[in-house]
Amino acid sequence: KKSSTNIKERGSQMINVEELEKAIKESGKTYTYLAEKLGISLQNFRLKCKGLLDFRLSEVKRLCIELNMTDTERMKKIFGFM
């Protein structure tokens, strides 16, 4: 489902697509690099970033580390949990 704030919900997971994209851009890291660090294909990483596939908790944790994301409020804003 897509709402006006660009939050995607699939199953039990919500993701704020715009905030995640912003965090990735701010990190200066590429989608390819991040996909490799998460151990998933670039295609699946892009689908997860668009909210079309769910992230595993281990992937969220690794992604937060790679994005140097230490602010739990920002993590909640992006992933809807933590």
Side-chain angles (χ1 to χ4, degrees), residues 9-10 14-18 20 29-30 39-41 65-66 68 70 72-73 79 81-82:
E9 184 175 353
R10 181 181 178 275
M14 290 185 347
I15 184 170
N16 186 318
V17 174
E18 288 175 357
L20 178 56
K29 296 179 180 175
T30 67
I40 59 177
S41 69
I65 291 167
E66 290 298 326
N68 298 316
T70 57
T72 55
E73 286 304 311
F79 297 105
F81 64 90
M82 295 297 262

Side-chain angles (χ1 to χ4, degrees), residues 2-8 14-19 77:
K2 185 175 181 181
S3 71
S4 60
T5 57
N6 207 18
I7 295 176
K8 301 268 184 153
M14 290 185 347
I15 184 170
N16 186 318
V17 174
E18 288 175 357
E19 284 297 318
K77 187 174 183 181

Side-chain angles (χ1 to χ4, degrees), residues 25-37:
K25 283 182 182 177
E26 288 172 1
S27 77
K29 296 179 180 175
T30 67
Y31 281 79
T32 301
Y33 172 85
L34 293 169
E36 287 174 4
K37 288 296 184 179

